[in-house]
């Protein structure tokens, strides 16, 4: 009854030079895993449709939250950005 593999987004042009916006649709429990999972839906930038991704839910994330991935994403709870773009001490 595993939910699936947990992965972050693959870097594409939109993430390297800007950001991609997603929404947390569901937070769920996966047996055998200590942390909850969240299902995040992104609009596909290159063709019509949605990209559904499974992430490890961070503390403070909630259903309906907008999350941003990419080099120009702000430093907030749930957002995913490169280590080189984060200020020291975070």
């Amino acid at each position: 009854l595993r939910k699936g593999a947990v992965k972050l987004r693959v870097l594409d042009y939109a993430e390297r030079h800007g950001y991609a916006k997603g929404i947390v649709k569901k937070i769920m429990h996966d047996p055998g895993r200590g942390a909850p999972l969240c299902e995040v839906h992104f609009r596909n930038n290159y063709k019509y449709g949605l990209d559904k991704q499974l992430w490890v839910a961070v503390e403070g994330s909630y259903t309906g939250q907008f999350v941003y991935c990419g080099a120009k994403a702000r430093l907030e709870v749930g957002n995913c950005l490169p280590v080189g773009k984060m200020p020291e001490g975070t």
Side-chain angles (χ1 to χ4, degrees), residues 13-68:
Y13 184 83
E15 278 190 63
R16 282 188 306 244
H17 301 287
Y19 61 86
K21 178 180 168 184
I23 185 166
V24 177
K25 286 292 190 179
K26 190 172 15 172
I27 295 179
M28 61 192 114
H29 171 71
D30 189 14
R33 195 183 296 267
L37 302 179
C38 64
E39 186 175 298
V40 182
H41 292 194
F42 290 94
R43 231 182 74 230
N44 193 318
N45 293 332
Y46 303 107
K47 61 182 181 177
Y48 181 76
L50 287 177
D51 291 334
K52 298 177 184 175
Q53 308 235 324
L54 203 59
W55 288 5
V56 175
V58 297
E59 187 174 347
S61 63
Y62 54 90
T63 306
Q65 176 185 11
F66 290 110
V67 292
Y68 300 91

